[in-house]
Amino acid sequence: MSRPFESSLAEIFDGLFERHYSVTFSWLLGQTGDQETAADLLQETFVRVWRHIAECAQMDAEHRRAWIATIARNVLIDSRRRNSFRDRVAAVATEAPLSNPLDGPEQMAVAKQEHESLDRAIQELPENLRTVLVMSVIEEMSSEEIGRALCKPAGTVRSQLHLARKQLAKRMGIS
Amino acid sequence: MNIEMRDRLSYGAEARLDALLREWSSRVRLLPAEAAAIKAEVKSRALRDEVELSPSWWKECLRSGLDELRVHRRSVGALGRGNPNPRSLSLLHEP
């Protein structure tokens, strides 16, 4: 039988998940460069959140955000220690879906090649640049919001975003 | 670090890069259904942890074992023996 205390903790968990899963996923994706790995680590992060949900009940919103970010960071560190992590990231999502099944074979091949090039170019970015880029692109966060999330000045985030885009353009042959 | 104008990408390059990143984002973004599946898996794992780790679960096991032992002792007592069958004590140690 569910007791009132337990059901309120479950509600807190649901609220935390809905509010933070997306930005946590983006951060993990930025750190790992691999969608599948990021999703696995997101799950592990929230398993740990659940285990300690009672501690979270007394925190305000800002502390909760920082608490989840710390858990995600620890999960990532543990994962890197545990696995031959770099190998897995290097394996990369080369199985990206093709852009439009109605395209002809040539267009599909070109699109596939472009996807692979872009995936590789993003993965080859330095981790700090990739993280701000991913948070900017997927979460559509401003430099100020990314700065708050990563504890960096907004000006630093803007510079890193600029560098990330510049390096990406170079790798993709865009000028 | 200042971003100087000469470092900037051309308008066309910026637009091309934005288009590529939008496409990339649509491929790697976590879909609501995927997020819901992850949340369900978290809860499922948490439930398994609860059964495996929770002191309350063990207390419940112990309590039911003791209840069973009491019933057994009563039935043994009804047969006129003073002490419970030692086998019944093993109930407490069974998983």
Side-chain angles (χ1 to χ4, degrees):
Chain A
M1 188 173 64
S2 177
R3 284 156 285 188
F5 179 63
E6 286 177 354
S7 65
S8 71
L9 289 182
E11 282 168 18
I12 289 173
F13 176 82
D14 285 346
L16 281 178
F17 188 89
E18 293 309 320
R19 183 177 292 235
H20 296 285
Y21 84 81
S22 188
V23 71
T24 307
F25 173 77
S26 293
W27 181 79
L28 288 166
L29 181 61
Q31 293 286 306
T32 63
D34 178 52
Q35 188 199 26
E36 201 173 320
T37 306
D40 287 347
L41 296 181
L42 179 72
Q43 183 176 312
E44 187 57 35
T45 299
F46 277 93
V47 166
R48 292 192 195 181
V49 167
W50 180 284
R51 281 179 191 156
H52 301 279
I53 193 71
E55 294 168 27
C56 177
Q58 305 300 320
M59 296 178 195
D60 60 31
E62 185 57 23
H63 277 98
R64 286 178 180 181
R65 188 195 62 74
W67 181 65
I68 291 173
T70 303
I71 291 175
R73 192 168 289 118
N74 289 340
V75 164
L76 180 69
I77 290 167
D78 289 350
S79 164
R80 282 178 171 162
R81 282 185 188 139
R82 205 168 42 242
N83 303 329
S84 54
F85 188 76
R86 291 288 173 195
D87 296 347
R88 195 171 167 197
V89 170
V92 184
T94 50
E95 302 149 12
L98 301 175
S99 58
N100 185 349
L102 297 177
D103 287 345
E106 274 182 35
Q107 286 161 304
M108 287 168 75
V110 169
K112 186 175 191 293
Q113 199 173 16
E114 195 172 70
H115 289 172
E116 287 172 4
S117 302
L118 184 61
D119 289 345
R120 201 175 313 113
I122 290 173
Q123 279 158 9
E124 284 170 0
L125 286 174
E127 195 176 279
N128 58 342
L129 302 189
R130 188 173 59 224
T131 300
V132 294
L133 182 74
V134 169
M135 294 178 92
S136 162
V137 171
I138 294 190
E139 292 303 307
E140 298 177 1
M141 291 167 81
S142 68
S143 301
E144 284 74 17
E145 288 169 328
I146 296 171
R148 270 199 298 279
L150 301 180
C151 301
K152 289 178 180 179
T156 303
V157 173
R158 270 193 290 277
S159 296
Q160 289 182 333
L161 267 177
H162 172 72
L163 269 177
R165 290 174 64 88
K166 203 176 150 196
Q167 288 191 19
L168 200 56
K170 190 177 174 190
R171 285 165 206 259
M172 293 298 292
I174 300 170
S175 54
Chain B
M1 182 170 59
N2 289 323
I3 303 166
E4 296 178 26
M5 287 306 287
R6 64 185 166 83
D7 282 339
R8 288 188 184 279
L9 296 169
S10 69
Y11 180 78
E14 292 276 6
R16 174 80 184 120
L17 195 56
D18 282 340
L20 281 175
L21 287 172
R22 268 198 304 277
E23 182 278 326
W24 176 79
S25 169
S26 69
R27 277 194 291 124
V28 301
R29 189 189 298 272
L30 202 60
L31 300 172
E34 292 171 316
I38 287 174
K39 189 163 89 168
E41 180 58 25
V42 168
K43 289 189 167 182
S44 164
R45 277 181 62 184
L47 195 64
R48 288 199 295 273
D49 287 353
E50 178 76 14
V51 170
E52 286 169 14
L53 303 173
S54 164
S56 63
W57 185 82
W58 286 108
K59 278 181 196 164
E60 193 56 43
C61 282
L62 193 59
R63 194 176 299 119
S64 63
L66 284 170
D67 287 345
E68 215 167 322
L69 181 60
R70 282 191 203 102
V71 170
H72 191 79
R73 284 185 68 165
R74 274 199 292 276
S75 65
V76 169
L79 290 173
R81 293 194 218 149
N83 295 319
N85 185 335
R87 190 186 158 277
S88 62
L89 290 171
S90 68
L91 284 170
L92 290 174
H93 302 293
E94 286 174 6

